[in-house]
């Protein structure tokens, strides 16, 4: 019976000590709130993305993988820039094809030089 009372008193002392340490710790509490880990956006806002920018991109881990909002933001930006580049490439290829067609048309219509004797 004495051993049982000793264990109950020891348990009460430990529980009260832990409770006082956690609740009464104030700013020096042993279990401070952890700051949420957020994506430090390393994607440059002032210039188009390059391969090195994408290779340096790292997402912070969350409880079940990555934060969907961070990944969605990065993929949205990458998708928009790729669509812009595709449109620019299509415009340039169209302009090049037009210039080639005009050069070919001018070469066909150009009269052949006559032989002078």
């Amino acid at each position: 019976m004495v051993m049982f009372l000793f264990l109950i008193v020891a348990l009460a002392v430990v529980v009260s000590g832990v409770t006082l340490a956690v609740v009464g710790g104030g700013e020096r509490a042993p279990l401070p709130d952890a700051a949420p880990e957020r994506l430090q956006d390393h994607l440059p806002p002032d210039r188009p993305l390059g391969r090195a920018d994408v290779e340096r991109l790292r997402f912070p881990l969350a409880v079940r993988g990555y934060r969907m909002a961070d990944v969605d933001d990065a993929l949205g930006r990458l998708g928009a820039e790729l669509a812009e580049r595709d449109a620019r490439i299509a415009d340039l290829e169209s302009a090049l094809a037009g210039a080639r067609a005009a050069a070919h048309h001018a070469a066909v219509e150009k009269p052949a030089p006559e032989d002078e004797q």
Side-chain angles (χ1 to χ4, degrees):
M1 180 74 172
V2 174
M3 183 60 111
F4 179 72
L5 285 173
F6 175 74
L7 289 175
I8 294 294
V9 170
L11 180 64
V13 168
V14 169
V15 167
S16 63
V18 169
T19 302
L20 287 175
V22 171
V23 173
E27 289 184 16
R28 294 180 8 206
L31 300 174
D33 290 336
E37 187 178 351
R38 299 296 299 164
L39 175 65
Q40 299 286 329
D41 190 10
H42 296 289
L43 299 177
D46 57 341
R47 64 175 173 80
L49 296 177
R51 180 180 178 150
D53 296 324
V54 176
E55 288 175 351
R56 274 194 308 266
L57 185 62
R58 298 289 180 262
F59 296 102
L61 293 177
V63 176
R64 294 182 353 196
Y66 297 106
R67 287 192 167 89
M68 288 189 293
D70 292 340
V71 175
D72 289 345
D73 290 344
L75 289 177
R77 168 114 189 254
L78 289 170
E81 287 202 17
L82 287 174
E84 183 180 325
R85 286 182 187 177
D86 289 345
R88 178 73 175 142
I89 289 171
D91 289 345
L92 292 173
E93 286 177 345
S94 174
L96 179 62
R100 285 183 178 164
H104 178 69
H105 184 66
V108 169
E109 288 186 358
K110 183 178 175 185
E114 296 179 16
D115 292 329
E116 295 181 16
Q117 292 181 355

